[in-house]
């Protein structure tokens, strides 16, 4: 579902469950996803301990955000799903921007010369992503830079998606999410005991 009420992503969106707010009686037991386009500036609401210890931050002038919530998923499963989802998002992105893409953990790395922070680089990180599990519910965020901007870290990569490409990318990734969680749920049900 594309939502329009988020004007900036500061990290607080995924500090609590959000699916019921948007889906009400259509909230699914296998999980839900929302997406929006907004600037990102995360300094105070970091969940990632590595970023916090490194005094790192998230900044983007324009980013496509995917926030998902899946019940009955513990931390290990949440990270496994995050990496599976991000790899699928990377494949969708590749079909749009036609640049070589590599997954490094949960990061989507684009192998294309670009300039960021006044430095010409041969590759860059197009994504930010985090997930955690609280009270047996996994909540995650994957953000893809459209335009990283001058304040973004030097390693940031701008995909420069057009508005039309962005909307298609959002709809395709949400469809992919639901296909994945439905398929995973069915797979949990077909074991002969």
């Amino acid at each position: 579902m594309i939502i329009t009420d988020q004007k900036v992503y500061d990290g607080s969106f995924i500090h609590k469950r959000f699916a019921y707010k948007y889906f009400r009686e259509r909230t699914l037991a296998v999980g839900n996803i929302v997406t929006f386009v907004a600037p990102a500036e995360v300094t105070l609401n970091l969940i990632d301990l590595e970023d916090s210890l490194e005094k790192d931050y998230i900044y983007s002038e324009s980013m496509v955000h995917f926030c998902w919530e899946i019940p009955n998923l513990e931390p290990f499963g949440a990270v496994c799903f995050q990496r599976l989802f991000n790899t699928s998002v990377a494949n969708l992105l590749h079909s749009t921007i036609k640049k070589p893409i590599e997954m490094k953990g949960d990061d989507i790395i684009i192998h294309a010369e670009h300039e960021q922070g006044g430095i010409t680089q041969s590759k860059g990180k197009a994504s930010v992503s985090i997930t955690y599990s609280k009270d047996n519910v996994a909540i995650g965020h994957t953000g893809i830079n459209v335009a990283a901007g001058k304040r973004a870290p030097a390693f940031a990569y701008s995909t420069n998606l057009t508005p039309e490409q962005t909307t298609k990318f959002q709809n395709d990734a949400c469809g992919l999410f639901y296909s994945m969680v439905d398929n995973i749920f069915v797979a949990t049900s077909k074991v002969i005991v």
Side-chain angles (χ1 to χ4, degrees), residues 68 73-83 131-133 137-139:
W68 46 269
L73 200 55
E74 45 72 44
F76 190 87
V79 171
C80 289
F81 181 84
Q82 172 201 32
R83 292 182 180 206
T131 189
Y132 71 101
S133 184
V137 175
I139 300 175

Side-chain angles (χ1 to χ4, degrees), residues 14-19 27-32 68-75 77-78 131-140:
I14 63 166
H15 279 247
K16 59 187 178 301
R17 296 182 72 172
F18 55 83
T27 302
L28 298 175
V30 293
N32 292 274
W68 46 269
E69 179 181 313
I70 302 175
N72 304 313
L73 200 55
E74 45 72 44
T131 189
Y132 71 101
S133 184
K134 181 177 181 184
D135 301 327
N136 209 35
V137 175
I139 300 175

Side-chain angles (χ1 to χ4, degrees), residues 2-153:
I2 295 175
I3 60 174
T4 58
D5 64 342
Q6 299 300 305
K7 303 307 177 199
V8 65
Y9 180 80
D10 68 359
S12 61
F13 189 89
I14 63 166
H15 279 247
K16 59 187 178 301
R17 296 182 72 172
F18 55 83
Y20 184 78
K21 175 182 176 182
Y22 293 100
F23 294 93
R24 301 287 188 200
E25 68 281 348
R26 295 178 296 127
T27 302
L28 298 175
V30 293
N32 292 274
I33 188 170
V34 297
T35 179
F36 55 95
V37 177
E41 188 164 4
V42 183
T43 55
L44 300 177
N45 294 307
L46 288 168
I47 293 176
D48 192 321
L49 180 59
E50 179 183 12
D51 288 347
S52 183
L53 291 172
E54 295 295 322
K55 296 186 178 16
D56 210 348
Y57 63 96
I58 297 168
Y59 179 85
S60 181
E61 283 183 6
S62 179
M63 182 176 274
V64 178
H65 302 275
F66 298 102
C67 298
W68 46 269
E69 179 181 313
I70 302 175
N72 304 313
L73 200 55
E74 45 72 44
F76 190 87
V79 171
C80 289
F81 181 84
Q82 172 201 32
R83 292 182 180 206
L84 177 64
F85 179 67
N86 285 3
T87 300
S88 297
V89 166
N91 288 329
L92 287 176
L93 189 58
H94 170 72
S95 68
T96 304
I97 66 172
K98 310 292 190 225
K99 307 272 187 216
I101 294 180
E102 164 194 11
M103 292 301 301
K104 186 175 181 187
D106 60 2
D107 294 329
I108 299 171
I109 309 297
I110 311 294
H111 288 268
E113 191 172 284
H114 70 288
E115 187 175 303
Q116 177 63 28
I119 303 167
T120 301
Q121 301 175 67
S122 62
K123 63 183 177 181
K125 184 176 153 190
S127 66
V128 296
S129 184
I130 191 67
T131 189
Y132 71 101
S133 184
K134 181 177 181 184
D135 301 327
N136 209 35
V137 175
I139 300 175
H141 169 260
T142 297
I144 305 295
N145 283 322
V146 175
K150 293 178 182 175
R151 292 177 47 204

Side-chain angles (χ1 to χ4, degrees), residues 157-176:
Y157 181 89
S158 297
T159 61
N160 297 311
L161 297 172
T162 67
E164 295 78 17
Q165 288 173 321
T166 299
T167 301
K168 183 176 184 333
F169 180 58
Q170 289 177 281
N171 286 324
D172 289 352
C174 287
L176 180 83

Side-chain angles (χ1 to χ4, degrees), residues 186-193:
V186 169
T188 67
S189 306
K190 61 182 185 180
V191 177
I192 299 173
V193 181

